[in-house]
């Protein structure tokens, strides 16, 4: 009795990645934002609640560079930070 597997009966259907799956930043377009976020985490004993501004800036960079789907920041949990200027904008002003 032979139990040969026949994969040709089902066709492969590609699908979009699940939410939270996105391409790696191979060209380092958001590396500076990632480094600021990681530095903040390290300085705050990895308490991410103290690094939300850096997290928001990093996600904005990823969306701006098409490394993840554009999402309203409110949907990503940053509604309370919407009126505050980002850390990058503060540093850019003289």
């Amino acid at each position: 009795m032979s139990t040969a597997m026949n994969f040709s009966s089902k066709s492969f259907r590609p699908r979009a990645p699940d939410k939270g799956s996105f391409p790696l930043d191979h060209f380092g377009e958001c590396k500076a934002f990632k480094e600021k976020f990681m530095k903040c985490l390290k300085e705050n004993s990895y308490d991410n609640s103290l690094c939300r501004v850096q997290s928001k800036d990093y996600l904005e960079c990823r969306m701006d560079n098409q490394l993840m789907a554009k999402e309203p920041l409110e949907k990503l949990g940053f509604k309370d930070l919407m009126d505050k200027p980002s850390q990058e904008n503060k540093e850019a002003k003289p």
Side-chain angles (χ1 to χ4, degrees), residues 23-84:
L24 297 176
D25 187 6
H26 292 288
F27 301 110
E29 296 167 287
C30 297
K31 186 175 182 177
F33 292 98
K34 179 189 81 167
E35 294 300 325
K36 286 179 187 175
F37 176 60
M38 296 305 292
K39 181 180 178 191
C40 179
L41 286 175
K42 189 174 182 178
E43 290 172 352
N44 290 290
S45 301
Y46 297 95
D47 182 354
N48 65 333
S49 66
L50 300 175
C51 302
R52 293 186 69 241
V53 171
Q54 292 83 354
S55 176
K56 178 178 93 49
D57 292 344
Y58 175 60
L59 292 175
E60 285 180 311
C61 177
R62 291 193 62 88
M63 288 187 281
D64 291 345
N65 288 288
Q66 299 175 350
L67 294 169
M68 66 181 281
K70 289 246 184 210
E71 290 277 347
L73 290 172
E74 297 88 5
K75 251 181 116 175
L76 296 175
F78 296 107
K79 185 174 184 174
D80 60 319
L81 299 178
M82 294 308 299
D83 295 332
K84 298 178 183 178

